[in-house]
Structure formats: structure tokens, C-alpha cells
Amino acid sequence: MHSPSRSVQAPIKSSLIDPDGGKLVDLVIPESERASRVLEAQALPKVSLSKIDFEWVHVISEGWASPLKGFMREDEYLQSLHFNSLRMKDGSVVNMSLPIVLAIDDETKERIGSSTNVGLVGPNGDLIAILRSIEIYKHNKEERIARTWGTTAPGLPYVEEVITSAGNWLIGGDLEVLEPIKYNDGLDNYRLSPQQLRKEFDSRQADAVFAFQLRNPVHNGHALLMNDTRRRLLEMGYKNPILLLHPLGGFTKADDVPLDVRMEQHSKVLEDGILDPETTIVAIFPSPMHYAGPTEVQWHAKARINAGANFYIVGRDPAGMGHPTENRDLYDPDHGKKVLSMAPGLEKLNILPFRVAAYDTVHKKMAFFDPSRAKEFLFISGTKMRNFAKTGENPPDGFMCPGGWKVLVNYYESLQTEEGSQQPAVLSA
Amino acid sequence: MHSPSRSVQAPIKSSLIDPDGGKLVDLVIPESERASRVLEAQALPKVSLSKIDFEWVHVISEGWASPLKGFMREDEYLQSLHFNSLRMKDGSVVNMSLPIVLAIDDETKERIGSSTNVGLVGPNGDLIAILRSIEIYKHNKEERIARTWGTTAPGLPYVEEVITSAGNWLIGGDLEVLEPIKYNDGLDNYRLSPQQLRKEFDSRQADAVFAFQLRNPVHNGHALLMNDTRRRLLEMGYKNPILLLHPLGGFTKADDVPLDVRMEQHSKVLEDGILDPETTIVAIFPSPMHYAGPTEVQWHAKARINAGANFYIVGRDPAGMGHPTENRDLYDPDHGKKVLSMAPGLEKLNILPFRVAAYDTVHKKMAFFDPSRAKEFLFISGTKMRNFAKTGENPPDGFMCPGGWKVLVNYYESLQTEEGSQQPAVLSA
């Protein structure tokens, strides 16, 4: 058996480890060349991007998926689907667990004809990128879904949002983004690229960076894990471990808390001193969410390596959800960390599995679950937490800092004053 | 793009290449220890094997799946399912694309209790092996099927035969087989182990071994490919290329031609001089068939490497079949060779893709398909061939040697004289 602890290595003596050698692709065209490329792009056949396609353009352009230089061609797609990794020309292997692909329909394929390059048009109609040396190949949706999610049951959020209505072709190629991707939603200052994050870690003289991926509000159980990780890293000999609190900013399912609310909640958690602002960087991870469990957790970790993280915190059932048609978790809750610890291309990542945190009803705080007094612990799932906030009921004292909780309550109150029909559906149990 | 031709390396100067360093696991207990192990096995909790479980015991025990030493434990199962490969302790990667697992039901799990070893009982009631240091883990059938086949559509032959009715647990452990596996069906002399095959190649002083996997009768199109491969290898500088004609001997779907009939047919092909007996070894590959296309072709190639082959012939849609519920091939016919050329752990294998052979109606023989005169070619699928034989209609002259064809006709005639209800169903289009 692989022991997850095998991956916790000796302390790093000098400056920040850079597991991928620091070479990130940067696919944004230099300003000096912009005007000529825009002219070129205008003359090309166009492909329209959905909101989520646009998020992937953002992800690729900043190097989160590096060494990927654009949407996958078929050889990359097949390796991702079958091996969750890519073999590079020098024989090295990089992790690449999710197919990062762009679908087009028959009519678009027809319109592209024999053109080798296409222009990509964002959801608001702006020309945002060129895709070069394109390759168009078949989009077998059933196979893609089965191999990515391990199920083809109806009701997978990403499948319903993106794949079901997508075209029967995929178009791969090298991406050139005309200017840095912005959303103009008041949160762009949180959208630090991997390069910017690396610079920030350097300027803070981090000797360890531990990343925490989340798509939910931060409760005190999460904070316990993060603070405990810092303690462990200090014990291991690191002098200045920095936490990358890295909420996912792309597509999430309808009943997840929206990004702007979560960002406000995260700010309160730092204001209230639950996490230490001196040793924490809060930034947005621009990827859409697949809810593909063990397959997706590899992507979540790999992208953070690209941003300079060398420790990754993984808990129960990462990127998991309830089975869409059966009354059980879609994935074995332990498979995420097991698969992550064995994943090709992630051998150098230090994986930090942790015990489950739950509400200790005796000490009235979030604590690591102690099986010897199991009855004294209360498990509060994301769904349960959202239900508390929706119904206006307070969670037990010590579950979340008051400032953060208020943000959630306000959000759900604002939903209830809107039309009932706009209330998001609860997809997972 | 990966070019399949990248893998055709320079000719080997000296004796047979041994891509895996010659270390095969041998899991058959030495005769001197047999009596004591049988006594031990008799006292252990028992697990009953189906016919196909028994075939896997055979496969594992002879080292076809080496370095696998038994049925997969969970860490091997997860790596197989997610990465089609296993990372060894020394950091090397071996290909392992199919989950080789043993399912048990709740009652058997209960009966095993806390025992660390179990005895395996063959389909005829004989105690045949010990499984040591067992690990029992959950059998998520849906996930296994989706990740192995890329579909969960009903009607996959291996799924219906093996998985649907299987228990909800998998049991892994180290295998010790009490004596070499035999079937006593008159074909055991064809069942050469990887070790025996390697010896045979050595004794024939082969400097290249090219393997041809098949589950159908050999027609002259197959023979063309095999003879053409030999020609190419001689051109590349090999002096004594040996063909391993290696029909699959385990489970096949109901409308495939049974093993004994195929073996008789293959004999006729050699007798009739279509293949040269001097440079051909016919042996049975004991694996059951998954019909899992690009995932399975890796297994087919990997097992032959273990037997000493260093060239692998791969054609259109290897290990493929019709989609069980849709009117199309289950897999893209080109994906098999693409995935094989990119598969982790198979980098050293020389893959020989070939052009499609079809019946040339002008020259009245099987020939490589020439797209410039496409209309003069006739494609005769396995299904079409079987239908010819069933209806007693003769295929075009030059499709198959007369001796071989007669074997098939006799087989289908014998079926028709039996009850209609015993006639195998046609599963694939």
C-alpha cells in the first residue's frame, strides 16, 4: 500500500521549492504586438465561447494548466482521458487529469473549413484570442463523461451545464490571448496568476506554501485544518509557511454559495482573526468545477503546483458530491487522497491528508473527530450549513466566526426576498 | 501528435530483446512444498471461483500480468482504473490497464472474517490456490465499468457475464497456485506460459518476436499482415523474426467462434502454407476478453511483452465491438493504436500499425486497401464471415484457405443440427 505520509519530505532548507522548474507558459500576447494580432484575428473564422469556455481560456492563458499551451488536441485529450497525465517529448510525465477541451458544432466546423487558425469570441462578443494550428476531432460525449466521472448517470452539474448541449467536435490548438482576461466584477484584484502568486510568495520569503482548495464558506473546522497544517510545517523545520487560501472562482453548481459572497465571507474570517492575514494569501483559482472527485482533485493540486505551492491539503471526498441518482456519495470519500498520492506527475507534491474535523458538542468548538467519543461530535455538511443559513437558524457556537456567518445569512435572506423561482435547487444530498 | 512510427527502433543486433528485464513472477508452488500448502489451504476460509476467475488465476500465476503477484489490492486497482499503470517502489512505471480483481459477496466476506489468507476453489470444486495477506475493499461496479469501458450501456459481454452478478467486495492478495493450471480439454499443449514461450524463442534463435493477438479465425487478410510484417522486419535488418500467433483462449462473447474450432482452423492455415510453420509459433493466450478497446489493447500488448515479444501488430479497432445500444462502433477505430502508442509503461514496445486489408475483387485476393480504387474492395467483417459460414455460402475465392474455411463450415453445420435454442446470439452488429 502507498502510505500518504511517504510524500511528506524533509524540510526545504533554502527558498521556495519549485516542483515544475518554474517554466510556465504565458499565452498573453505582448502589448506591442496586440494591434497586428487583433487585425489578424478579425479576419479569421470565429468560434463563440460560452462563459465556461471563457473560464478555461483564462485558466490556460495564465499557465495553470502548463505545459498545456491551448485547448487539447486529440493526443493530449486521449492521454488525459486514459492516463490522467501527458508524456512530454523529453520523456517526463506531467499530471493532466481533466480534459481541457473546446467543443464546436457541425455548423462551426463547416464554417472553419480548412483554416488553420480561428478567432475566439468571448460571451460578451469581444474577440479575445487566436487558436493556432488547430485540430478538429470527434467529441464522444459518452466516453468523455464515463472516463472523467466514472458514471454516466444524469444530473452531473458540469455535464448538464457544458457537455450535453455541446457540439460533436472538439477543437484543439495553441492559444494566444489578445489581452489579460478580466471579469470586471469587482473581484479581478483577487485573480492572481500563477506568476503573480509566485512573486508574492517570494516577496514574503515563504519557505513553504500550503494550498487549500475550497468552494464553500470557511468554517472553523477548515480553519483548524489550516492552522494545524501551519503548526505541523513549523514543527518540520520550516520558518515561514504561507497559506494560499484559494477558493475556486469558475462554474459551480446552483446550490453552492456564489463567489462574491464567499469572497466577502473569507474576508471576514481574516478580519475576525480566525486565519492570520500575515501568513495567508487569499486569491481566486479561476477554474470551473467538474465535481469529478479523485480525477478532479489531481487537477486542483497540479494547478497549485504551477502557482508555486509545494504542500497540498486534502480532506474527505475532495471535489465530490452526492451521486446524482442514488442515495450515496458519488465517490468513495477516501479515494481522493489515495488517488492523489499515487498520481503520475505529482510525485514531488507533499500531500497533507488530515483527520476529519467536526463540531465537538462538549468543548463547543470545531475539533478533530475523536472516534472514542463519537457521540459527542456533530457533523455539519456544506448542505446542512447552507440550510441553517437559509432558514435563519444559528449553527452551534464556535462553528463559524460571527462576521462570516452574517455574510451567509444576509445572502440567503436576499435570495428569499427575490422570487421563489429564483431560489437555487439543492442538487446534492 | 505522437507518431506511431516513433516506436519502431533500430534493429537489435544480438539476441532477443527482453523489455522487462526477464523478471517474471512465478506463482506456482514448488512440488516439494505442495503437500504442506494443500494442508494449510484446506484449513482456510474458502472463496469459490467462477470459470472466468479461474482464467485470471491462470493468467496471474504464469506471470502474464507480472509484476502483479495476485488479484489487485485497492492501491493497484485504483492506479489501474485511473492511470492504466502501476508505479513500482523503484519509481518505474508498468502498464496495467485492466483491473484484475476477484469479487466476493457479503456472505463470503462475513465468512472470511479476520483471516489474513483464504483458499481459492476452482469451478470443479478443487482447491487450487492460496491468496495471502488479503485486503477486502468495496466493488463500485458502476465506476469500474465506466472507467474501463467508457460507457455504462447495458449489453457489454464481460459486464453481463462477470460483473453484474458479482459481489459488492473485491479481495486482493498474493497468489500461490498449488499446481500449474490445466483445462484438460485437449488444448493444454498450446497453453505455453511466458517462460515457456521465451525458451522457445531462444531455442529458435529469434532476434525479433512479433505478436498477433486474435479472437477470430485467421483469414488471408490477417495472413497478409503477418507475412508483410515479417518482410518489413527482414528489411529492417532482423535475421530471424518469429511470429507469435496468439489466439485468446479465455472468455469470449457468445457469437465468437469457440477456441477449439479456432485452434483447428489455425492448424489448417499452417498446414495449407498460408503461414510458415518454420517461423510461426501458435500458442493460446489464456486471458478472458473484455472487449474494452483502447483500454484492453494495452493489456494485450503488455502481456505479450512479458512473454518475450518485442513487436506488436495493431490494426483497426483492436478489442473493439459494436456499441451495445447504439448503431456505431463502441470505440473510435483509430483510438486503439493511438492510445497504445502513448501508453505509460509500453514505451519500449515496437508497435506496428498496419493498413487495413480487404478483399480486392479485381485481383481476387486479400490485399491492402487502396483508397484510389475503393470500389474494387470488399470489407468482410468477422460478423459477415460468420454469416457466410452459418448460411453455407462460400466467401469470395482467396478470402481464406479452403482447409480453414471447411473447419468453420463444419462448426456452424454442427450448431444447426443441435437445438435452435442453443444457437449463440449475435451480440455485435
Side-chain angles (χ1 to χ4, degrees):
Chain A
M1 277 293 291
H2 278 264
S3 162
S5 65
R6 68 134 182 83
S7 57
V8 176
Q9 297 165 349
I12 301 149
K13 289 288 177 294
S14 65
S15 67
L16 185 66
I17 251 192
D18 186 345
D20 261 11
K23 286 170 232 141
L24 281 181
V25 300
D26 180 0
L27 306 171
V28 182
I29 288 168
E31 202 160 349
S32 59
E33 299 174 28
R34 199 159 292 159
S36 68
R37 301 294 176 90
V38 170
L39 275 179
E40 181 193 352
Q42 283 167 344
L44 294 173
K46 305 292 185 301
V47 171
S48 295
L49 303 178
S50 71
K51 192 167 169 297
I52 293 174
D53 295 334
F54 179 79
E55 290 170 359
W56 281 119
V57 167
H58 182 196
V59 165
I60 299 166
S61 71
E62 291 187 342
W64 297 97
S66 185
L68 206 66
K69 295 198 179 80
F71 286 104
M72 289 179 173
R73 299 192 179 89
E74 193 181 37
D75 66 331
E76 294 159 333
Y77 172 69
L78 288 174
Q79 289 182 78
S80 161
L81 219 51
H82 287 274
F83 314 129
N84 285 8
S85 58
L86 302 182
R87 187 163 74 214
M88 308 307 292
K89 277 185 186 156
D90 66 2
S92 64
V93 170
V94 297
N95 192 268
M96 196 68 72
S97 62
L98 291 184
I100 300 181
V101 290
L102 179 59
I104 55 173
D105 58 18
D106 295 6
E107 189 266 323
T108 306
K109 178 175 184 285
E110 189 72 24
R111 204 154 32 71
I112 293 169
S114 60
S115 184
T116 49
N117 306 325
V118 297
L120 303 184
V121 177
N124 63 2
D126 292 348
L127 198 50
I128 61 154
I130 296 174
L131 201 62
R132 292 196 185 275
S133 306
I134 58 166
E135 178 184 301
I136 297 176
Y137 55 102
K138 271 177 253 162
H139 186 194
N140 184 330
K141 299 178 188 182
E142 179 188 54
E143 184 176 12
R144 176 181 171 194
I145 296 164
R147 296 198 193 277
T148 304
W149 279 273
T151 178
T152 58
L156 297 168
Y158 190 91
V159 171
E160 303 228 314
E161 183 73 21
V162 176
I163 301 182
T164 306
S165 60
N168 291 317
W169 304 95
L170 297 174
I171 179 169
D174 295 331
L175 188 70
E176 280 180 7
V177 174
L178 299 173
E179 38 187 317
I181 301 293
K182 297 291 168 206
Y183 294 73
N184 303 310
D185 58 356
L187 299 174
D188 282 331
N189 57 325
Y190 282 111
R191 292 192 178 90
L192 302 180
S193 71
Q195 290 288 14
Q196 290 171 319
L197 282 170
R198 286 171 179 232
K199 271 190 201 149
E200 184 66 25
F201 301 142
D202 279 348
S203 76
R204 296 211 195 187
Q205 297 186 292
D207 61 354
V209 174
F210 58 112
F212 191 75
Q213 142 75 29
L214 77 173
R215 63 169 216 266
N216 273 312
V218 174
H219 59 58
N220 289 349
H222 299 135
L224 174 66
L225 301 172
M226 291 185 264
N227 289 324
D228 195 62
T229 299
R230 181 173 161 79
R231 186 190 56 72
R232 283 162 66 186
L233 290 171
L234 290 169
E235 271 179 21
M236 285 163 73
Y238 292 99
K239 300 300 175 204
N240 188 25
I242 294 287
L243 164 64
L244 172 60
L245 180 66
H246 214 195
L248 179 136
F251 165 78
T252 51
K253 58 190 168 66
D255 68 335
D256 279 350
V257 177
L259 180 63
D260 56 342
V261 180
R262 285 184 280 132
M263 294 311 291
E264 195 187 339
Q265 195 270 351
H266 297 345
S267 292
K268 294 292 176 196
V269 168
L270 274 93
E271 273 175 34
D272 285 6
I274 304 294
L275 293 173
D276 179 2
E278 288 298 306
T279 57
T280 302
I281 294 171
V282 186
I284 292 174
F285 175 50
S287 173
M289 188 79 199
H290 269 58
Y291 305 91
T295 302
E296 185 166 28
V297 72
Q298 299 171 66
W299 161 244
H300 286 173
K302 180 241 158 62
R304 273 56 176 247
I305 295 179
N306 281 5
N310 51 351
F311 287 89
Y312 188 80
I313 304 176
V314 61
R316 184 188 177 279
D317 201 16
M321 54 174 268
H323 192 289
T325 60
E326 297 173 22
N327 187 24
R328 60 171 175 95
D329 287 329
L330 178 51
Y331 303 105
D332 182 314
D334 290 327
H335 280 187
K337 60 171 170 280
K338 286 181 184 171
V339 168
L340 189 59
S341 75
M342 304 185 292
L346 297 181
E347 293 83 359
K348 289 182 198 157
L349 183 67
N350 298 294
I351 299 159
L352 297 168
F354 51 68
R355 285 174 292 159
V356 171
Y359 187 75
D360 181 337
T361 56
V362 175
H363 300 94
K364 298 205 181 304
K365 61 173 187 178
M366 295 299 286
F368 289 117
F369 177 67
D370 176 356
S372 72
R373 47 188 193 90
K375 285 185 182 168
E376 297 172 10
F377 282 88
L378 195 65
F379 282 90
I380 302 176
S381 67
T383 306
K384 202 167 192 174
M385 175 179 72
R386 291 188 291 265
N387 282 336
F388 275 135
K390 272 180 213 169
T391 57
E393 191 183 343
N394 276 326
D397 273 0
F399 171 73
M400 188 183 287
C401 64
W405 184 250
K406 195 158 188 306
V407 172
L408 294 189
V409 171
N410 288 347
Y411 164 65
Y412 283 104
E413 273 178 2
S414 76
L415 279 188
Q416 278 161 9
T417 58
E418 293 173 22
E419 295 299 327
S421 67
Q422 289 186 25
Q423 185 138 349
V426 176
L427 285 178
S428 67
Chain B
M1 278 293 290
H2 278 264
S3 161
S5 63
R6 67 135 183 79
S7 58
V8 178
Q9 297 165 349
I12 302 149
K13 290 289 178 290
S14 65
S15 68
L16 185 66
I17 249 191
D18 187 346
D20 261 10
K23 287 170 229 140
L24 281 181
V25 301
D26 180 1
L27 307 170
V28 182
I29 288 168
E31 201 158 352
S32 58
E33 299 174 29
R34 200 160 291 159
S36 68
R37 302 295 176 90
V38 169
L39 275 179
E40 180 193 353
Q42 283 167 344
L44 295 173
K46 305 293 185 300
V47 170
S48 296
L49 304 177
S50 70
K51 192 168 168 297
I52 293 174
D53 295 333
F54 179 80
E55 291 169 359
W56 281 120
V57 167
H58 182 196
V59 165
I60 299 166
S61 71
E62 291 187 342
W64 297 98
S66 184
L68 206 66
K69 294 198 180 79
F71 286 104
M72 290 179 172
R73 298 192 179 90
E74 194 181 37
D75 66 331
E76 294 158 333
Y77 171 69
L78 287 173
Q79 289 183 78
S80 161
L81 218 51
H82 287 275
F83 313 129
N84 286 8
S85 58
L86 303 182
R87 188 163 72 217
M88 308 307 292
K89 277 184 185 157
D90 66 2
S92 64
V93 169
V94 297
N95 192 268
M96 197 66 73
S97 62
L98 291 184
I100 300 181
V101 290
L102 179 59
I104 56 172
D105 58 18
D106 296 5
E107 189 265 324
T108 305
K109 178 174 182 287
E110 189 72 23
R111 205 155 30 72
I112 293 169
S114 60
S115 183
T116 49
N117 306 324
V118 296
L120 303 184
V121 177
N124 62 1
D126 292 348
L127 198 50
I128 59 154
I130 296 174
L131 201 62
R132 292 198 184 274
S133 306
I134 59 164
E135 179 185 300
I136 297 178
Y137 54 102
K138 271 177 252 162
H139 186 195
N140 183 330
K141 298 179 189 181
E142 179 188 54
E143 185 175 12
R144 175 182 172 195
I145 295 164
R147 296 197 194 277
T148 304
W149 280 272
T151 179
T152 58
L156 296 167
Y158 190 91
V159 171
E160 303 229 314
E161 182 73 21
V162 177
I163 301 182
T164 305
S165 60
N168 290 317
W169 304 96
L170 297 175
I171 179 169
D174 295 330
L175 187 70
E176 281 180 7
V177 174
L178 299 174
E179 38 186 319
I181 300 293
K182 297 291 169 210
Y183 295 73
N184 303 311
D185 58 355
L187 299 174
D188 282 331
N189 58 326
Y190 282 111
R191 293 193 177 89
L192 302 180
S193 72
Q195 292 287 15
Q196 289 170 319
L197 283 170
R198 286 172 180 232
K199 271 189 203 150
E200 183 65 25
F201 301 143
D202 279 348
S203 76
R204 295 212 194 187
Q205 298 186 291
D207 60 355
V209 174
F210 58 112
F212 193 76
Q213 142 75 28
L214 76 172
R215 63 170 213 268
N216 274 313
V218 173
H219 58 58
N220 289 350
H222 299 135
L224 174 66
L225 302 172
M226 292 185 263
N227 289 325
D228 195 61
T229 299
R230 181 173 161 78
R231 187 189 55 72
R232 283 161 66 184
L233 291 171
L234 290 169
E235 272 178 19
M236 285 163 73
Y238 293 99
K239 300 299 174 205
N240 189 24
I242 293 288
L243 164 64
L244 172 60
L245 181 66
H246 214 194
L248 179 135
F251 165 77
T252 51
K253 59 188 167 68
D255 67 335
D256 279 351
V257 177
L259 180 64
D260 57 343
V261 180
R262 285 185 279 131
M263 294 310 292
E264 195 187 339
Q265 194 270 350
H266 298 346
S267 293
K268 293 294 175 195
V269 169
L270 273 92
E271 273 176 34
D272 285 7
I274 304 294
L275 293 172
D276 180 1
E278 288 298 306
T279 57
T280 303
I281 294 171
V282 186
I284 292 174
F285 175 50
S287 173
M289 188 78 201
H290 269 58
Y291 304 92
T295 302
E296 185 167 27
V297 72
Q298 299 170 64
W299 160 243
H300 286 173
K302 178 239 158 64
R304 274 55 177 248
I305 295 179
N306 281 6
N310 51 350
F311 287 88
Y312 189 79
I313 304 176
V314 61
R316 184 187 176 280
D317 201 17
M321 55 174 267
H323 192 288
T325 60
E326 297 173 24
N327 186 24
R328 61 170 175 93
D329 287 330
L330 178 52
Y331 303 106
D332 183 314
D334 291 327
H335 280 188
K337 60 171 170 279
K338 286 180 185 173
V339 168
L340 189 59
S341 75
M342 303 185 293
L346 297 182
E347 294 82 358
K348 289 182 200 158
L349 182 67
N350 298 295
I351 298 160
L352 296 168
F354 50 69
R355 283 174 291 159
V356 171
Y359 187 73
D360 182 336
T361 56
V362 174
H363 300 94
K364 299 206 182 303
K365 61 173 189 175
M366 294 299 285
F368 288 118
F369 177 66
D370 176 356
S372 73
R373 47 188 194 90
K375 285 185 182 167
E376 297 172 10
F377 282 88
L378 195 65
F379 282 90
I380 302 176
S381 67
T383 307
K384 202 169 193 172
M385 175 179 71
R386 290 189 291 266
N387 282 336
F388 275 135
K390 272 180 216 171
T391 57
E393 192 182 341
N394 276 326
D397 273 359
F399 172 74
M400 188 184 286
C401 64
W405 185 250
K406 195 158 188 305
V407 173
L408 295 190
V409 170
N410 289 347
Y411 164 65
Y412 282 104
E413 273 177 4
S414 75
L415 279 189
Q416 278 161 8
T417 58
E418 294 174 22
E419 295 298 326
S421 67
Q422 289 185 24
Q423 183 139 351
V426 175
L427 284 178
S428 67

